[in-house]
Amino acid sequence: MIVYFNGQFIPKENVGISPDDRGFLFADGVYEVIRVYHGQLFQADRHWQRLARSLGELRMDGLDLEIFGQIAGRLLDENHLDNSDALIYIQITRGAAPRQHAFPGQETPVTIYAAASPFTPSPEKMERGVKIILMPDIRWARCDIKTVALLPNVLAYQQARDGGAEEAVFVRDGAITEGTHSNFAAVFAGQLVTYPQSHYILAGITRAVVLDLCRELNIPANEFPIFEKDLPHADEMMLLSTASEITPVAQVDHWQVGNGKPGPITQKLQQAFRKLVD
Ligand code: PDD
């Protein structure tokens, strides 16, 4: 596999990341994951904008993000993925410097890594729906920054997997925020509801696309907290993410959502999403 590392396209096994890298020492870095359908990047501009915002929030400004479109294209080429479904992963850290909490000097270059890997979607999950578990949201209060500091997400997701679930969805102050690597939406009496864009969730690209689709399809949509106690009254629920697109939720902990099958609004959005991708 050929990857991009600090200006070069090289075999993955030749990448050497310093033990002083601040990504390794402090999780001092950000990342993006972009979906590629048949060799084409999906919603690339939105991903670049989010990456720029994440970098800005870490005070790592001044990077020319234009290069990432070219890097992604070359990675797809080099790895013979130019006609395939794939994921592009990009990570940028504050570079390598002797360990101290303060930022290193301006002369320290950032570390940039990017890779393209083949991706096989799982249509059964999108057709049948998945189980989620609810977990307390113990993360920090800047979940809007796409940082690589993902330990709470990793621990919660592992608990979901151990319990036979596809995702753990976080609850903060009684409200459902988002999943460990997806946003969450539910349908109440024909209206789609999802947690407001704020510091408590990532501004998901799939979430933004779904809100666009709701406007196009005249599905009322509201960015409003859903309280855990109201969840059993939801007719439909869905997970939204780059990898899982729009995945219906069929079960929450030990109870079934609606009749356990993807609901009409979920299916309508899935069809519209497919059309957009095509
Ligand atoms: N995760 N919320 C969190 C915490 C996420 O990590 C993600 C994405 C999302 C959905 O965002 P988007 O629609 O832009 O993929 C929401 C990526 C894919 C990951 O960590 O692998």
Side-chain angles (χ1 to χ4, degrees), residues 94-114:
R94 207 184 303 277
R99 187 183 184 280
Q100 59 157 349
H101 287 65
F103 294 175
Q106 292 293 334
E107 70 287 354
T108 302
V110 295
T111 302
I112 307 179
Y113 171 75

Side-chain angles (χ1 to χ4, degrees), residues 52-71:
R53 183 175 180 281
S54 293
L55 286 165
E57 294 301 305
L58 265 64
R59 294 164 56 189
M60 286 165 63
D61 302 293
L63 257 179
D64 175 15
L65 295 185
E66 298 263 303
I67 57 164
F68 286 107
Q70 292 153 26
I71 291 173

